[in-house]
Amino acid sequence: MKKKFKEATGNTLAPLRPHLKWLVVGFAVFISFGSIYYTNSLVDQIRVREQRQIEIYASSLEFLANESENVNFFLILDEIVAANNSIPVILTDESENPEDYRNLDRVDKIDSEDQRNSFLKKEIELMKEDHPPIEVTLKDDQDNIYGYKYIFYKNSFLLSQLKFYPYIQLSVIALFGIITFLVLNYMRRVEQDRVWVGLAKETAHQLGTPLSSLMAWSEYFKGLYKDQQDVLIEFDKDVDRLKVITDRFSSIGSEPQLTMMNIADVIDEIVIYLQKRLSTKITITVSAFPNRDIGALINQSLFAWVIENLCKNAADAMDGKGSIHISILKANEGRIAVDVQDTGKGISKSKIKNVFRPGYTTKKRGWGLGLTLAQRIIEQYHSGKIFVKQSEINKGTTFRIYLNG
Ligand SMILES: Nc1ncnc2c1ncn2[C@@H]1O[C@H](COP(=O)(O)OP(=O)(O)OP(=O)(O)O)[C@@H](O)[C@H]1O
Ligand SMILES: [Mg+2]
C-alpha cells in the first residue's frame, strides 16, 4: 500500500515534469519565431509592392512630362498619387528642393512656409536612408534632356507598424502568459494549503477521542493495579507522545502561536527524546555560539517535528552509524541559525533541488514528505528559511534553518 502511494506520487512522476516544461517552452519559442517569420515575410511582400507602386508613379510622371508641353508637375503628381493614399512621397527639383509632397500629415499642420520647407528637407534626409530616390528624366521634343526631378519616398505607416507588430503581439502574449502562470501557481498553492490544513485538522480531531479515553483508562488502571505502576508509567509516556503528535497536527491545522524560547534548551529536550529512539551507534551533540543564551520565536511542537525529521533523515543517510551535530548560532539581522550536520552518504548536486519536493524519496519505505513538511513549518509558520547548506557524497550533509530572534 505504502509502495503504491510512493510510485503514484514520487519518483515515477517527478521526472516527467521537467520534460513538460521544456515542451511548453519549445512550443512558445516555435510560435514566437513562426509569428516573427510570417510577419517579416508579409512586410517584405508589402515593401516590394510599395516599391513597385512608386516606380509606376515615376514612369507615369516621366511619360506624361515628356508627352505634353507645359506640364504642370503638381497636377500630374496629384493625379498619379491620387491612387496612393498611404506612401509618403516628396517631389523635388534637381537640387533636392521640395516642390510637392503627399501623405505627410504632419507637414499640413505647419503654418509657416520656412518651417514647412525645413521639415521637408529633414524628411528627405530620412527618406534617403530608407530608399534611394527615383529619378525622373525630363526631355524636350527632340529628346534632349533638359532636367531631372526626384521622387523621395518612405515606407507607408502600415508597413512601419507591421514591422513592430510581432514584437508588440509577443510582449502582450508573454505578459498574459506570466500573469496566467502566477495566478495558476497561486491557486495551486491555496489548494495545497487547504489539503494540508484540512488533513491535519481532521487527523488531530480523530486522534482526540481515543486519546482522552486512553487517559481515562490509565487513571482507571492506576487505581486497579497498584503493583503494576512501572508498566503504567510507560503507558503514560506513550499517551503523552500521542498527545504531542495530536498537538502537532492541530497546530498545523490552525494559525500556530509563536513564543520566544531558549532554543538550546528546546533542542536539548528533542535530542534526549531522539537519542533514546535512534541506534546507539549514532551520537547527537549540540553546541551554541556565542553562548546558550539564545532566544528564538518558535512554536515548540512544530519546531521539534522539524528537528526530528532532519535527524531521522540524517540517521537514515548514515545507515545507523555516525554522528549528528546540531549547532546554534546568532546570525546577522537578529536571525538565529540552526545547522544540522551529519556524516552520512550526502546528496549529489543535481538532487539537492529535489529534496524539498513533495513525494521525492530515495528510500524503499519513504513517503518523501519529511522535508516538505519541515519547509512548510519553517517558511510558512516561522517566516524563516530552510535549505541544504552543504553536502558532499560519502562525507555528509548540513541543513541550515534560519529563525527569527
Ligand atoms: N541528511 C540527508 N543525507 C542524505 N540524503 C538526504 C538527507 N536528508 C534528506 N535526504 C534525501 O532527501 C529525500 C527526501 O527526504 P524526505 O525527508 O522529504 O523524505 P524521506 O525521508 O524519503 O521520507 P519521509 O517522508 O519518511 O521523511 C530522502 O529520500 C533522501 O534521499
Ligand atoms: Mg525523511
Side-chain angles (χ1 to χ4, degrees):
M1 173 65 199
K2 206 169 183 180
K3 191 137 185 284
K4 256 188 199 157
F5 176 84
K6 189 189 95 182
E7 277 173 4
T9 55
N11 296 341
T12 45
L13 274 183
L16 265 180
R17 255 186 270 157
H19 286 159
L20 197 67
K21 195 168 71 186
W22 288 117
L23 206 70
V24 172
V25 169
F27 191 59
V29 169
F30 176 74
I31 290 183
S32 311
F33 277 103
S35 161
I36 292 173
Y37 177 78
Y38 180 66
T39 323
N40 277 347
S41 78
L42 278 185
V43 165
D44 281 344
Q45 283 176 36
I46 296 177
R47 186 186 290 129
V48 169
R49 190 185 286 186
E50 289 192 352
Q51 173 103 25
R52 282 285 305 140
Q53 219 175 339
I54 289 293
E55 278 162 7
I56 292 169
Y57 298 154
S59 350
S60 317
L61 188 65
E62 207 167 85
F63 173 77
L64 283 172
N66 297 332
E67 275 300 289
S68 48
E69 287 165 22
N70 300 327
V71 255
N72 182 343
F73 283 110
F74 307 128
L75 192 70
I76 293 169
L77 189 67
D78 253 357
E79 299 218 337
I80 299 169
V81 298
N84 162 33
N85 52 13
S86 62
I87 307 170
V89 285
I90 302 176
L91 177 73
T92 72
D93 63 13
E94 281 166 46
S95 335
E96 295 185 3
N97 288 316
E99 291 186 341
D100 201 5
Y101 61 88
R102 282 294 175 277
N103 301 325
L104 283 162
D105 293 347
R106 287 176 63 194
V107 187
D108 292 332
K109 289 185 190 117
I110 303 172
D111 288 333
S112 128
E113 181 85 36
D114 283 350
Q115 276 180 6
R116 199 179 309 163
N117 241 353
S118 72
F119 182 90
L120 284 173
K121 287 209 159 141
K122 268 189 220 147
E123 199 62 38
I124 288 172
E125 291 308 314
L126 290 176
M127 287 175 168
K128 262 191 214 170
E129 285 172 18
D130 257 9
H131 309 276
I134 292 178
E135 195 178 66
V136 181
T137 317
L138 305 176
K139 293 176 191 158
D140 63 14
D141 289 348
Q142 276 80 44
D143 258 8
N144 295 320
I145 297 170
Y146 70 88
Y148 296 97
K149 300 263 175 208
Y150 291 100
I151 297 173
F152 289 89
Y153 67 103
K154 65 177 182 183
N155 295 336
S156 66
F157 182 63
L158 174 77
L159 189 58
S160 325
Q161 292 253 301
L162 205 58
K163 268 174 151 177
F164 294 112
Y165 176 71
Y167 301 103
I168 296 170
Q169 184 194 34
L170 289 176
S171 311
V172 171
I173 292 175
L175 193 73
F176 183 73
I178 291 169
I179 293 174
T180 313
F181 173 77
L182 290 178
V183 168
L184 286 182
N185 215 19
Y186 173 76
M187 278 165 56
R188 198 182 54 141
R189 267 172 177 245
V190 168
E191 217 162 84
Q192 277 182 355
D193 269 10
R194 259 199 232 143
V195 175
W196 270 105
V197 169
L199 207 61
K201 261 191 187 160
E202 180 62 15
T203 309
H205 181 72
Q206 296 224 7
L207 280 174
T209 324
L211 188 61
S212 11
S213 78
L214 278 179
M215 272 149 52
W217 279 117
S218 164
E219 290 309 311
Y220 174 74
F221 289 138
K222 269 181 207 155
L224 209 61
Y225 305 108
K226 296 227 187 312
D227 52 337
Q228 299 277 342
Q229 294 303 311
D230 290 354
V231 178
L232 288 170
I233 286 171
E234 288 307 310
F235 182 86
D236 274 355
K237 275 190 195 159
D238 283 331
V239 171
D240 282 345
R241 180 68 189 157
L242 268 178
K243 257 197 244 164
V244 170
I245 294 171
T246 312
D247 188 43
R248 285 176 180 176
F249 279 110
S250 96
S251 299
I252 253 210
S254 57
E255 189 69 34
Q257 291 292 315
L258 301 184
T259 19
M260 184 61 88
M261 299 191 81
N262 182 307
I263 193 83
D265 289 349
V266 172
I267 288 177
D268 275 350
E269 202 179 302
I270 304 164
V271 168
I272 291 168
Y273 169 79
L274 276 171
Q275 193 76 75
K276 274 188 256 165
R277 273 151 190 86
L278 295 176
S279 141
T280 46
K281 290 185 189 131
I282 291 177
T283 51
I284 310 179
T285 46
V286 182
S287 71
F289 185 82
N291 52 48
R292 286 182 57 91
D293 190 20
I294 302 174
L297 262 182
I298 53 165
N299 176 288
Q300 192 179 356
S301 68
L302 290 185
F303 181 71
W305 204 354
V306 173
I307 298 294
E308 274 180 37
N309 273 325
L310 292 181
C311 290
K312 276 186 199 154
N313 280 347
D316 290 343
M318 300 187 297
D319 276 335
K321 196 177 166 198
S323 58
I324 301 173
H325 183 69
I326 304 177
S327 48
I328 309 156
L329 52 117
K330 274 194 167 153
N332 296 336
E333 296 153 21
R335 289 189 305 174
I336 315 299
V338 178
D339 287 353
V340 179
Q341 186 179 6
D342 65 53
T343 54
K345 58 174 181 267
I347 311 166
S348 70
K349 284 219 159 51
S350 59
K351 297 287 184 308
I352 287 183
K353 62 178 188 304
N354 291 337
V355 295
F356 291 101
R357 212 189 247 173
Y360 174 79
T361 181
T362 52
K363 298 170 195 170
K364 265 204 187 109
R365 316 189 67 186
W367 293 87
L369 284 180
L371 288 177
T372 311
L373 184 76
Q375 186 178 46
R376 196 184 161 81
I377 291 174
I378 295 298
E379 299 190 352
Q380 290 211 357
Y381 297 128
H382 290 82
S383 313
K385 267 203 107 34
I386 179 168
F387 55 96
V388 178
K389 187 182 165 218
Q390 198 265 334
S391 188
E392 204 174 321
I393 296 292
N394 293 330
K395 288 261 170 67
T397 307
T398 308
F399 277 86
R400 170 161 281 198
I401 300 170
Y402 275 121
L403 295 169
N404 298 311

